[in-house]
Amino acid sequence: MNLKEQMKVPRKYKYERIRTNVDYKKSKKRSKIINVLIEFVKNNIKEYVIVTLIFLIGIFLGVMFVNNLEDGQKTEIISYVNTYIEAFKQTDSSSNITLLQNNLRDNIILTVIIWFIGSTVIGIPIVFGIIIFRGFCLGYTISSITVVLGVTKGIAFTAISIIMQNILFIPAIISLGVSALKAYKSIYSDKRKENIKLELIRHTVFSTLMLIILIASAVVETELSTNLLRGL
């Protein structure tokens, strides 16, 4: 082995070592974020139970709303959903970009509203209203799909599409509600400006993290929605 080849070997090992260190740092950073989220859940179990119950009440109300509709109104829902699915099947792939943009916009607006309102003293009832409304929309969607596709196919479609689409969205929006509730409690009970400032910073950082998850949720929702609706 000549001198030039001998110099290449250490350089190769050096690059591999650098790449390994970068991968290790990325892995460590991801682990740290996950640990922060786990610790946040552990420290706010009571708040998670409250917000989750509010969300479940919204789902229940949405399901009951559709189930209590008259036959004529259910027929209108069936006609609307079928028309929407057929129209969606005829669209090209470029419409996926528009759908993704709309989902991203909606999730960003939702996060900003909950963050801002949760940073005020009187905002928590509005946050709870948003949570229960989103639950209502989910319950309404599930019940409507069941009415259109029938119980068996409707449950299967719901399990594959609705639950998978919301596997990121639901924990993120519930966590946003918990963060807003925690910020509200801090503002209401602790009058010291420094503590309030720290809590608002925490609420802002946590809301930003949830926004990233909601952006990922929008991407997943768009991909699943388009593929599953075209497969019906």
Side-chain angles (χ1 to χ4, degrees), residues 47-58 131 170 174 178:
E47 287 79 6
Y48 267 95
V49 171
I50 293 172
V51 178
T52 302
L53 284 175
I54 291 172
F55 187 77
L56 291 175
I57 289 171
I131 300 292
I170 292 176
I174 289 176
V178 171

Side-chain angles (χ1 to χ4, degrees), residues 156-221:
F157 183 84
T158 299
I160 295 172
S161 63
I162 304 300
I163 294 177
M164 288 185 66
Q165 287 178 19
N166 288 277
I167 200 167
L168 293 175
F169 180 85
I170 292 176
I173 192 174
I174 289 176
S175 296
L176 276 172
V178 171
S179 182
L181 179 58
K182 188 176 180 181
Y184 163 77
K185 285 183 176 181
S186 178
I187 295 171
Y188 183 78
S189 61
D190 195 339
K191 305 300 181 182
R192 288 172 294 182
K193 290 184 178 180
E194 282 301 318
N195 289 347
I196 293 175
K197 183 179 178 181
L198 288 173
E199 183 58 34
L200 290 179
I201 292 173
R202 181 211 58 78
H203 178 50
T204 301
V205 172
F206 189 81
S207 296
T208 302
L209 183 59
M210 291 302 104
L211 175 60
I212 295 172
I213 295 176
L214 285 172
I215 289 173
S217 170
V219 176
V220 173
E221 181 180 353

Side-chain angles (χ1 to χ4, degrees), residues 3-223:
L3 180 61
K4 188 175 181 181
E5 290 175 340
Q6 289 177 351
M7 292 178 65
K8 286 182 179 178
V9 174
R11 184 177 297 178
K12 178 181 178 182
Y13 290 151
K14 181 180 179 181
Y15 290 152
E16 289 180 353
R17 188 166 61 251
I18 292 172
R19 187 168 61 248
T20 302
N21 290 336
V22 171
D23 293 339
Y24 173 76
K25 289 179 180 178
K26 287 182 179 179
S27 177
K28 189 176 180 180
K29 188 175 181 180
R30 284 195 297 267
S31 300
K32 186 176 181 180
I33 293 174
I34 293 172
N35 290 335
V36 168
L37 291 175
I38 292 173
E39 195 66 25
F40 181 82
V41 173
K42 287 181 179 179
N43 294 334
N44 298 280
I45 290 295
K46 183 180 178 180
E47 287 79 6
Y48 267 95
V49 171
I50 293 172
V51 178
T52 302
L53 284 175
I54 291 172
F55 187 77
L56 291 175
I57 289 171
I59 294 177
F60 175 77
L61 292 175
V63 172
M64 292 302 297
F65 180 81
V66 175
N67 289 343
N68 289 324
L69 290 176
E70 297 179 357
D71 292 338
Q73 293 172 315
K74 287 184 179 180
T75 302
E76 291 180 3
I77 291 177
I78 294 173
S79 176
Y80 171 78
V81 173
N82 286 330
T83 302
Y84 175 80
I85 291 174
E86 291 302 320
F88 190 86
K89 287 179 179 180
Q90 296 175 7
T91 58
D92 53 23
S93 59
S94 62
S95 62
N96 291 4
I97 299 176
T98 303
L99 181 60
L100 177 60
Q101 290 174 342
N102 292 336
N103 288 337
L104 288 173
R105 180 198 62 204
D106 293 343
N107 286 355
I108 291 172
I109 292 174
L110 176 66
T111 304
V112 170
I113 290 175
I114 294 179
W115 166 78
F116 177 75
I117 296 176
S119 302
T120 64
V121 178
I122 60 173
I124 200 63
I126 301 176
V127 172
F128 285 167
I130 294 173
I131 300 292
I132 200 169
F133 175 74
R134 297 300 304 203
F136 177 88
C137 292
L138 180 59
Y140 182 92
T141 302
I142 293 173
S143 191
S144 297
I145 290 173
T146 304
V147 169
V148 174
L149 301 180
V151 176
T152 304
K153 193 174 181 180
I155 292 175
F157 183 84
T158 299
I160 295 172
S161 63
I162 304 300
I163 294 177
M164 288 185 66
Q165 287 178 19
N166 288 277
I167 200 167
L168 293 175
F169 180 85
I170 292 176
I173 192 174
I174 289 176
S175 296
L176 276 172
V178 171
S179 182
L181 179 58
K182 188 176 180 181
Y184 163 77
K185 285 183 176 181
S186 178
I187 295 171
Y188 183 78
S189 61
D190 195 339
K191 305 300 181 182
R192 288 172 294 182
K193 290 184 178 180
E194 282 301 318
N195 289 347
I196 293 175
K197 183 179 178 181
L198 288 173
E199 183 58 34
L200 290 179
I201 292 173
R202 181 211 58 78
H203 178 50
T204 301
V205 172
F206 189 81
S207 296
T208 302
L209 183 59
M210 291 302 104
L211 175 60
I212 295 172
I213 295 176
L214 285 172
I215 289 173
S217 170
V219 176
V220 173
E221 181 180 353
T222 302
E223 290 298 319

